[in-house]
Each structure stands twice: as C-alpha cells, then as structure tokens.
Amino acid sequence: MSLWGGRFTGEIDQFFAAYNASFRFDRRLIFADLKACAVQARALGRAGVLNESEVEAIVTGLAKITTLAGEPGYLDRPEFAATEDVHSFIEGRLVELIGPAGYKLHTGRSRNDQVAVATRLYLREEIDQLLVRLRETRQALIDLADRYRNAPIPGYTHLQKAQPVLFAHYLLAYFQMLSRDAARFAEIRHRVNTLPLGSGALAGTNFPVDRQWMAEQLGFEAVTRNSLDAVSDRDYLIEFTGAASLTMMHLSRLAEDFIIYATQEFGLLKLGDRISTGSSLMPQKKNPDSLELIRGKAARVFGHHSALLTLAKGLPLAYNKDFQEDKEALFDTLDTLNSSLIVTTTVLGNVELDAPRAAAAAIRDYTNATDLADYLVRRGLEFRKAHEIVGRIVVHAIGRGVELAQLTIDELREFSTLIEDDLFKAISLEQSLAGKAMVGGTSPVQVDAELERARDSLIDQ
Ligand code: ARG
C-alpha cells in the first residue's frame, strides 16, 4: 500500500512507479531510519499523542523489523521489490506486525524530515568508520617509513630531479595530507550531527514533540533551527563529498607517484604480486592496476560532488523530489572512498623500495647543486652570484660527463677561489640531507622527530 492513496482516483503508471522508487538503494538507510522511528514514537508518547501501549507496540514492532532486516536476503524478497522507498517499507512492515497502530507513527512527521534524519544518522556512522580507515592508511604510511628510515630517494619538481629527500620524509608528506582529511571529516561530522526531525514536511508540526529530547536520544549535538532549511539542506552531503574528493585526490597523487616510481625507467619501487596484475598478451608484464584504479576512481567521486552541487543549485525551498538523487551519489562516494583507502593500505604493505638504486639516483644528476651554491653563500657570496657560478660548473661537469663531486679541486677553483677541500663533504648525500635541519625539513633527525609525532597523533585520536 502506498503512503498517499486518498487524493488519487487513478492508478500510477508502472514504468513511472519503478522510476519513482528508491527502495533498491535507500534500503541502506533502514537501520538509521528504524532508530529515528523509535525515538519519534517515544516523543509522540511523551507529547501525549500516543498512549503507552501504542508506543510499546510500535517500538517492539520496529525492533522486530530491525532483526528481520539484519537477516541475509530478507530485504531482497520478491514481494518487497515494488516498495516505493525505505520509509514506506518500514510503515508497511510495522502495520503487518502490529496492526493499524502502526499508522500512527507518522503523526506530525513527513518523509521529508524522516529521510533527512535517517541520512544524517547514517552518514554520522559512516564518517566514524571512515576515520578508522584513514587511520589504518596513515599507520601503513608510518610502517613503510619506519622500514626505510634513513633511505634517500630523489625528490622531484616538475618531475625533474631536484634535491635528495628521505623516503620516510616523502611518505610523511602523504601522512600530513591524510591527517588534514581526517580533521576535515571530523569537522563535517559536527554539522552532520544536527537533528532535523520535527520539521514535518516544511513548516514544523502541530504536535508538541520535544526536539531537544529527541536529539539527545539519537546522539545529535543540536537541533536544526529552521524547518524549511532542515528538510532541504544538503550542504552536509556536498561538503562531505567535497572532503571525500580531496582524500581521493590525495590517494590519486600517491598512486600516480608510485606508478611512475615503479616503471623500469625510474626503478625506485617494486610492487608486490598481491597488488599487481598481468597482461593477457605480454607474458613479461606486471601492471600497477591497483594504483591505476585508485587514480581512476577519484574521478567518479569528483563527479558525485559536482552532481550534488548541480542537483541543489536551482531548487526552490523547500523539499523537492530531486533530492532523492542525493543517495546514490553519497553511497557510491562512501563505497569508492572506503575501498580505495583499503587498497591503498594494502599497496603500502606490499611495496618495496630499491634502496641502493634510490640512494644512487638521489645524488646523481646534480641534485647537490643547490648545496654547492649554499656552500659559496656561507663563504660570503651573494646567493644570486653563487647560483650563476654553480650553473656554469654544472654545464662544465655535464660537458665532461661527470658529477660535481668528481670534479677536481683545481677545476672547481677555476670557477671560484672560495671553494676549498671541505666542499666535497658539503655536497655529499649525507650532508645534503643532514643540512635540512629546520622543522619540516628532510634531515634524518627531523624526519625521526616527525615520525614520532605522527605515531603519537594516531594514538591520541
Ligand atoms: N525518497 C525520498 C528522498 O529520498 C524521501 C521521500 C520524500 N518524498 C516526498 N514525496 N516528499 O528524498
């Protein structure tokens, strides 16, 4: 039975009924919806709208539905296939279980505030799960950094060799990004965690339900302050998919780095068999499909974010059925983000650094040229002049096909008499790293300290 038959004399078109129905996807909200329904029943009891036995019958019926909905296959039963949405599903089952008293549950409520409260409850729990996953990924970054504590790799700008950095320093960059992501989700959780129930269809309700009490029962931090806004606010979904987009963007960048570093040309990383796939044609191939999919799936999350913005932009206050389209965007964002975090964590546990090759690459190709310029600056030369001189030294070294450290002291002094024997230590790989000793720099001492901080930050949460 539909929730709105009285006004109608004709039958709904069957194709349109299926088009209109959302049960096949909004059934994911069922446990959140059932929780809010029980609190709604009790609030109606406290308001004197339902008597005690009605409240108990409803709450018992809802508990029974909760049990049934948890049974495998129950929601898939063919007799439920034509259900309009999760809200009519619950009312239908409730009336089957407890009789007409079940129809009283919807007193003073609309599906508009019902769907809003269910979505918020659902998302709140999902954010908590997501924060756990983000921690696991950050832990995997720390574990990998720990394994290669003092291993240098080449750092790049413009994907051209720039300066040596520690692999741990590189990994901790992603730790920082994912920590900001976690902070963003935690912040969004506060705005998600507001009770819209009691707003009715748009104007509020004639029954004196205690919204503050309902909020406390459901663990909400606040109640919404405007009924029109409460039933038509989807900001929290838009900012959630926005934050999800940022996380996917971070995972995608990491994926892109690893794909590049694992090429034969770079040869810095080796991807384990557990996260690679082969080619159906070329027997020698080992492809980084895990990483490519993470990178690819970022696109669909960006799409959902964009879809929700577009969905909301032209809608007149208050509720419009367009909002039903928010669910699949939200659910797919959650599924994509969760699975991408899990795969990223697995990748981080199944990747190896070719440490000797990375260390050799880190100091090759004049990555210590800046250290040579800084050496001249410490001897009193203006940086711009030092830059110019080292540029010429690099051209000379390229001409001879050698590295800076392979030039003789006499050769070097042709360019500047400020250069002395201690230059060679100053431009060594060890010193290049150790020299970056400011907070946030790549010196082993700093990186150790940041690794410790990162570890502590996961314990605090
Ligand atoms: N299924 C709808 C949604 O997801 C909720 C029902 C509100 N429908 C309505 N006609 N007022 O937004």
Side-chain angles (χ1 to χ4, degrees):
M1 180 174 153
S2 98
L3 300 181
W4 35 265
R7 165 75 176 75
F8 289 74
T9 48
E11 284 296 309
I12 191 169
D13 174 79
Q14 281 315 294
F15 192 89
F16 167 58
Y19 185 78
N20 184 50
S22 53
F23 185 59
R24 74 174 188 286
F25 53 87
D26 69 13
R27 50 190 261 184
R28 276 174 74 152
L29 299 176
I30 193 162
F31 296 110
D33 201 348
L34 285 161
K35 259 186 223 158
C37 284
V39 170
Q40 167 77 5
R42 293 204 187 281
L44 289 172
R46 285 166 52 95
V49 179
L50 299 183
N51 66 39
E52 220 169 285
S53 67
E54 288 168 333
V55 172
E56 284 320 308
I58 290 173
V59 170
T60 308
L62 292 169
K64 176 91 177 117
I65 299 169
T66 305
T67 308
L68 288 170
E71 287 174 5
Y74 177 72
L75 297 177
D76 301 318
R77 288 190 184 174
E79 66 260 38
F80 302 149
T83 307
E84 182 180 346
D85 59 20
V86 65
H87 320 299
S88 49
F89 178 81
I90 290 173
E91 187 171 297
R93 297 297 77 69
L94 189 61
V95 172
E96 278 168 16
L97 286 167
I98 69 164
Y103 288 130
K104 294 195 175 184
L105 174 59
H106 211 54
T107 312
R109 188 179 67 170
S110 155
R111 279 183 293 168
N112 300 351
D113 56 346
Q114 186 178 357
V115 73
V117 72
T119 308
R120 284 171 181 271
L121 273 177
Y122 175 84
L123 181 54
R124 186 180 75 189
E125 278 183 23
E126 287 291 324
I127 289 176
D128 291 339
Q129 280 307 307
L130 201 53
L131 288 172
V132 174
R133 297 238 179 287
L134 267 168
R135 267 176 71 117
E136 289 164 357
T137 307
R138 282 181 292 162
Q139 184 63 51
L141 284 166
I142 290 178
D143 293 345
L144 188 58
D146 241 343
R147 247 174 80 196
Y148 296 104
R149 225 159 219 274
N150 290 319
I153 60 167
Y156 299 87
T157 64
H158 313 267
L159 202 51
Q160 301 284 323
K161 284 239 190 113
Q163 292 184 297
V165 293
L166 289 183
F167 187 47
H169 191 58
Y170 163 85
L171 292 168
L172 286 176
Y174 284 97
F175 184 93
Q176 292 295 326
M177 294 176 228
L178 296 186
S179 296
R180 290 195 297 277
D181 292 335
R184 248 185 299 273
F185 287 120
E187 154 83 25
I188 289 169
R189 190 188 190 281
H190 291 299
R191 279 184 292 278
V192 170
N193 202 18
T194 305
L195 177 93
L197 199 57
S199 300
L202 76 164
T205 165
N206 290 320
F207 301 97
V209 285
D210 182 346
R211 300 190 62 219
Q212 198 57 52
W213 181 85
M214 291 198 283
E216 282 156 24
Q217 295 302 302
L218 291 167
F220 283 110
E221 293 164 46
V223 299
T224 54
R225 311 301 309 187
N226 182 294
S227 59
L228 291 164
D229 179 42
V231 294
S232 64
D233 167 28
R234 296 294 182 276
D235 297 6
Y236 66 99
L237 296 180
I238 298 174
E239 61 177 324
F240 176 76
T241 52
S245 296
L246 282 174
T247 305
M248 288 302 298
M249 180 273 285
H250 291 146
L251 299 183
S252 181
R253 287 188 80 175
L254 178 74
E256 170 72 358
D257 278 348
F258 277 26
I259 289 167
I260 293 171
Y261 296 171
T263 57
Q264 285 77 9
E265 286 72 15
F266 277 70
L268 302 177
L269 292 180
K270 284 196 205 97
L271 305 178
D273 288 358
R274 290 166 69 86
I275 51 160
S276 308
T277 54
S279 158
S280 61
L281 190 146
M282 296 165 284
Q284 88 284 9
K285 288 298 290 289
K286 192 167 169 188
N287 292 327
D289 291 24
S290 50
L291 296 161
E292 291 167 290
L293 280 171
I294 291 165
R295 190 176 59 187
K297 282 175 191 291
R300 60 196 282 166
V301 173
F302 301 175
H304 294 316
H305 179 58
S306 172
L308 289 177
L309 279 167
T310 312
L311 179 70
K313 76 175 272 290
L315 295 185
L317 277 187
Y319 179 85
N320 300 268
K321 189 64 171 261
D322 311 47
F323 283 137
Q324 184 162 288
E325 290 292 309
D326 64 9
K327 313 277 172 323
E328 287 162 295
L330 173 63
F331 298 152
D332 190 64
T333 296
L334 285 165
D335 292 346
T336 307
L337 183 52
N338 273 311
S339 56
S340 300
L341 282 167
I342 291 170
V343 173
T344 301
T345 302
T346 307
V347 167
L348 290 167
N350 286 279
V351 66
E352 268 176 44
L353 178 73
D354 185 338
R357 185 177 160 121
I363 194 65
R364 212 186 304 123
D365 303 311
Y366 315 104
T367 57
N368 53 357
T370 310
D371 300 309
L372 173 48
D374 290 347
Y375 171 90
L376 294 173
V377 166
R378 282 196 298 276
R379 311 225 140 191
L381 203 60
E382 297 88 335
F383 178 73
R384 193 51 54 213
K385 283 199 181 135
H387 187 288
E388 164 73 23
I389 288 169
V390 177
R392 283 195 270 114
I393 296 176
V394 168
V395 172
H396 174 79
I398 290 172
R400 281 201 43 209
V402 296
E403 291 293 324
L404 297 179
Q406 293 170 310
L407 296 171
T408 65
I409 189 75
D410 295 336
E411 247 175 324
L412 287 162
R413 284 176 66 84
E414 293 277 314
F415 293 91
S416 170
T417 51
L418 293 172
I419 295 175
E420 297 185 37
D421 271 334
D422 60 353
L423 181 269
F424 294 102
K425 179 169 186 289
I427 63 169
S428 67
L429 177 57
E430 292 66 32
Q431 187 49 41
S432 177
L433 291 163
K436 312 297 185 304
M438 20 60 72
V439 172
T442 194
S443 79
V445 173
Q446 280 301 333
V447 173
D448 270 353
E450 288 304 321
L451 208 48
E452 203 52 45
R453 250 178 112 87
R455 243 185 249 109
D456 289 350
S457 76
L458 288 190
I459 294 164
D460 289 349
Q461 275 177 21

